[in-house]
Amino acid sequence: MDAFSPYYEVTTLADVTDPNIVHDTERKISVVGIYEASEVDALVDDYLAKKGNNALERWIKPAVDRHDVRQREALEVGDAVAVEELAMFRKDVGTYLKQYDFLSQLFDYEDPWLEKLAIYLKHLAPQLTDRPSVRPDRPVDSAAGLHRTA
């Protein structure tokens, strides 16, 4: 037991968690430009007013559309960097949600924006995929998952 005492004595919460990582991840996802602050605020207002899924969906749809348009355009022109940026955005959204869910139990961020963003992203995340939504005017090549040009 004495052999482990140095670890117990020197390990602190700060060694395990850094409350600033939530801010870092928030900044990282905000610069991508998929969602607007006004959409986050509006969704949270409707969410807290218990307006239901249809009301919430209208605030998520513009971000999903932005994501899907960028994804589609990147795939069409073969822009691997843009495709990777969107993949990283999707990953970072999940990371933010995990970080905030855990760290907000340990720290009082005193920043309503972080909570609003978490509520918004919980609704947005399931809608984001690595494939753009199907457009009726452009059939999807089922083997590649890419849109074919006519």
Side-chain angles (χ1 to χ4, degrees), residues 10-129:
V10 298
T11 302
T12 65
L13 187 59
D15 295 332
V16 177
T17 59
D18 176 7
N20 293 319
I21 62 174
V22 170
H23 294 285
D24 296 341
T25 306
E26 184 271 332
R27 279 189 291 277
K28 189 175 176 184
I29 61 178
S30 69
V31 299
V32 179
I34 296 295
Y35 59 86
E36 301 288 333
S38 60
E39 295 162 354
V40 173
D41 288 333
L43 177 131
V44 171
D45 288 346
D46 285 354
Y47 175 80
L48 294 175
K50 300 182 187 303
K51 290 192 176 180
N53 287 336
N54 289 340
L56 303 181
E57 180 66 26
R58 71 184 269 214
W59 303 115
I60 295 295
K61 187 173 179 346
V64 172
D65 290 347
R66 278 184 217 105
H67 173 274
D68 288 353
V69 165
R70 287 190 195 176
Q71 182 84 4
R72 185 172 29 259
E73 289 172 353
L75 290 170
E76 286 174 355
V77 299
D79 186 346
V81 172
V83 170
E84 182 58 32
E85 181 182 73
L86 291 168
M88 185 58 66
F89 173 78
R90 291 188 302 272
K91 180 179 175 279
D92 289 340
V93 164
T95 298
Y96 178 86
L97 290 171
K98 290 174 191 165
Q99 289 171 343
Y100 186 79
D101 283 348
F102 176 69
L103 293 173
S104 65
Q105 296 175 46
L106 304 174
F107 304 102
D108 181 3
Y109 283 102
E110 298 180 6
D111 184 352
W113 171 253
L114 298 176
E115 176 71 19
K116 287 179 175 184
L117 185 59
I119 292 169
Y120 181 85
L121 293 176
K122 283 179 185 175
H123 289 86
L124 177 63
Q127 304 292 324
L128 300 178
T129 65

